[in-house]
Amino acid sequence: MATPSMEDYLERIYLLIDEKGYARVSDIAEGLEVHPSSVTKMIQKLDRDDYLIYEKYRGLVLTPKGKKIGKRLVDRHQLLEDFLKIIGVREENIYEDVEGIEHHLSWDSITCIESLVEYFNRDPQRVKDLQAIRQEMELDQEA
């Protein structure tokens, strides 16, 4: 099983390949705010664990296992962003909050959150009702 750090790398690599068609060490390092040498070490580990195939100076390609996990991680991230938006978290906090919680939730919890997001998406009035409750609670706290 991938560690949280491995997940961050796989998610970033998957996104880069999806957006650009390739993922370079420098792009991964920039996106994760780490040194290129750290990226190279992790890429070698991900290669050993069959998440990707890496050839020095030639680049890397995700294996089917790496693509599957990468997509799942990207989907998890998006789901959590959607969830936080629905429950009214301020936009400027969402990315950091997702980064803080995504590795600490079980896949069972993710599935439950997915069901809840779907519940709200099926009827926009539900989101409005939730927002109204939240506003009432904020007013009560101010009083």
Side-chain angles (χ1 to χ4, degrees):
M1 191 62 185
T3 65
S5 180
M6 291 167 74
E7 287 183 348
D8 285 339
Y9 278 85
L10 286 168
E11 183 178 358
R12 173 62 50 197
I13 292 166
Y14 182 89
L15 283 169
L16 284 167
I17 291 173
D18 189 50
E19 292 167 7
K20 295 180 158 190
Y22 60 90
R24 297 183 318 206
V25 168
S26 59
D27 295 328
I28 299 165
E30 182 182 326
L32 295 175
E33 299 177 350
V34 296
H35 292 287
S37 59
S38 299
V39 174
T40 301
K41 287 178 188 171
M42 181 58 80
I43 286 174
Q44 290 167 344
K45 178 167 181 36
L46 292 169
D47 185 13
R48 283 192 305 275
D49 291 348
D50 298 320
Y51 290 104
L52 56 81
I53 299 166
Y54 174 65
E55 292 181 31
K56 197 170 184 178
Y57 307 115
R58 299 208 47 185
L60 58 93
V61 216
L62 288 171
T63 62
K65 175 183 173 182
K67 284 181 190 174
K68 180 180 177 183
I69 298 291
K71 179 171 180 5
R72 190 173 184 199
L73 296 171
V74 168
D75 291 347
R76 174 184 71 185
H77 189 101
Q78 185 60 55
L79 172 69
L80 292 172
E81 282 189 11
D82 294 346
F83 173 66
L84 294 180
K85 285 177 189 172
I86 285 170
I87 64 172
V89 174
R90 287 193 303 269
E91 191 69 36
E92 63 267 18
N93 295 332
I94 289 177
Y95 182 81
E96 288 298 320
D97 286 352
V98 169
E99 287 298 311
I101 64 174
E102 67 184 341
H103 301 296
H104 301 285
L105 295 172
S106 68
W107 286 104
D108 181 49
S109 293
I110 296 295
T111 300
C112 293
I113 290 170
E114 185 175 32
S115 298
L116 186 60
V117 167
E118 180 61 23
Y119 170 80
F120 281 107
N121 286 337
R122 285 186 182 186
D123 183 354
Q125 185 58 45
R126 293 172 180 157
V127 176
K128 291 177 185 170
D129 292 345
L130 179 64
Q131 290 168 346
I133 291 169
R134 186 166 181 254
Q135 287 174 348
E136 287 173 21
M137 290 177 69
E138 286 175 356
L139 289 173
D140 288 345
Q141 289 173 354
E142 290 174 4

